[in-house]
Amino acid sequence: MRDTSGTRTSSKRAGSRFARLSIVIALSASALLSVAGPAHAAPAKDPLPADIPDYQAALDAVKSTAVRNAVCRFLSTPVPSGGAGGPVQTIPETAEPCQGLPAFTIKDPVALNEITPGFVAGTSLPLPTEAVKLTQLVSSLSTTVNGRNATVMLAPTQGGGWHLAAVRDGDSDVTYASKATVGTLVFTEPQIRGWYQLKLNTVEPLNDQARQGLGGQASMSLSDYQKLVKARYADKLPGSEYDTKGYSSGYSPQHKADEPSSATPLLAGTGAALALAGGAVALRLRRRASTG
């Protein structure tokens, strides 16, 4: 006679873990909906990306009515004619923000990975798991709207789930982040807007800024790349004199401060958009630098 007690115990444990996971995802989605209002649940991806926690909550967020309305309000606001420091523009408050705009959908979000402070400081080993971390998720539109595209940026919500962090002009972030393949990792060095692909322990540039960041080399070991970014930024990390003097908006590969960031704030004068973003961030319009 077979002893099935071990099998039953294992099944119960698996069922318990699955139930807990379902509760976490349900609570994350409920928290998002309670802030953003009614949303149409997105169909589950099969399989869900293993490297992105609470991915179903991220899908629900980008497919929600609240996020779509925020994007429509963003696209309904003209691109500022002036540079940074110009007047803040107010997003028009309308009952039907998408009315009159061409139909569009928001694509499934992809991971936006960045180099870590520990890797830059040289306190972390030159290993993929230590060098790069997931910071946000980014999505673009299925089509241009009145000649414009936009990037929807999601930030992790404390306790689980994802919420709207910003809407930006252009889709270059999504274009590069989507180049990740099985066995490779794509990440950004945001200080110079460089995008790289990491294959095992080899770093390869994906755009002109990254190629310049590697000194024109076609590839470099992760260890050598760490030496480069440590030389560029180790004395510019948060809390440093460089940071406290307000220069942390950008750095050049020559270790000099760039011009102030070209990000122009676009005031989120809509309750729905502010509520979805936790009431703490405004939608932002950024003129993206041309990339190679």
Side-chain angles (χ1 to χ4, degrees), residues 123-163:
T123 57
S124 298
L125 294 174
L127 300 172
T129 54
E130 299 288 331
V132 176
K133 69 175 180 179
L134 172 67
T135 57
Q136 291 182 315
L137 301 181
V138 289
S139 306
S140 60
L141 309 185
S142 59
T143 185
T144 58
V145 177
N146 296 338
R148 294 170 62 186
N149 209 319
T151 295
V152 175
M153 308 189 74
L154 302 180
T157 300
Q158 186 175 4
W162 297 86
H163 63 268

Side-chain angles (χ1 to χ4, degrees), residues 11-283:
S11 298
K12 288 179 180 179
R13 288 176 179 172
S16 176
R17 285 195 298 268
F18 179 79
R20 287 197 297 271
L21 178 60
S22 300
I23 291 172
V24 170
I25 294 177
L27 288 176
S28 300
S30 297
L32 179 65
L33 292 175
S34 67
V35 187
H40 300 290
K45 288 176 68 70
D46 187 18
L48 295 176
D51 57 337
I52 301 178
D54 294 331
Y55 189 76
Q56 184 60 53
L59 280 176
D60 293 342
V62 298
K63 305 301 181 184
S64 69
T65 301
V67 169
R68 181 179 178 81
N69 286 346
V71 173
C72 288
R73 291 188 178 97
F74 178 87
L75 293 172
S76 298
T77 304
V79 176
S81 56
V88 173
Q89 300 188 54
T90 302
I91 297 177
E93 181 72 63
T94 58
E96 298 292 337
C98 297
Q99 186 174 3
L101 291 178
F104 68 89
T105 58
I106 303 175
K107 295 180 182 179
D108 294 346
V110 295
L112 191 155
N113 300 297
E114 297 182 2
I115 51 177
T116 66
F119 179 74
V120 172
T123 57
S124 298
L125 294 174
L127 300 172
T129 54
E130 299 288 331
V132 176
K133 69 175 180 179
L134 172 67
T135 57
Q136 291 182 315
L137 301 181
V138 289
S139 306
S140 60
L141 309 185
S142 59
T143 185
T144 58
V145 177
N146 296 338
R148 294 170 62 186
N149 209 319
T151 295
V152 175
M153 308 189 74
L154 302 180
T157 300
Q158 186 175 4
W162 297 86
H163 63 268
L164 178 64
V167 178
R168 289 180 177 171
D169 221 29
D171 61 352
S172 59
D173 284 350
V174 182
T175 299
Y176 287 116
S178 299
K179 291 182 179 295
T181 60
V182 176
T184 70
L185 184 68
V186 169
F187 68 93
T188 180
E189 183 183 333
Q191 295 84 356
I192 62 171
R193 296 176 184 166
W195 283 90
Y196 305 85
Q197 190 166 44
L198 182 60
K199 298 179 179 179
L200 296 178
N201 285 308
T202 300
V203 177
E204 298 180 357
L206 293 177
N207 65 353
D208 287 342
Q209 292 90 328
R211 282 184 281 274
Q212 182 183 5
L214 295 187
Q217 297 188 50
S219 65
M220 180 178 292
S221 70
L222 187 59
S223 178
D224 286 342
Y225 175 68
Q226 183 178 33
K227 295 174 184 176
L228 280 182
V229 295
K230 182 179 179 181
R232 285 204 277 264
Y233 314 126
D235 60 343
K236 299 178 177 66
L237 291 172
S240 66
E241 182 182 6
Y242 189 89
D243 173 54
T244 56
K245 287 185 176 180
Y247 295 114
S248 59
S249 59
Y251 316 111
S252 74
Q254 288 74 33
H255 214 119
K256 297 178 182 177
D258 288 340
E259 293 298 318
S261 171
S262 60
T264 302
L266 185 62
L267 184 63
T270 158
L274 283 174
L276 181 64
V281 282
L283 302 184

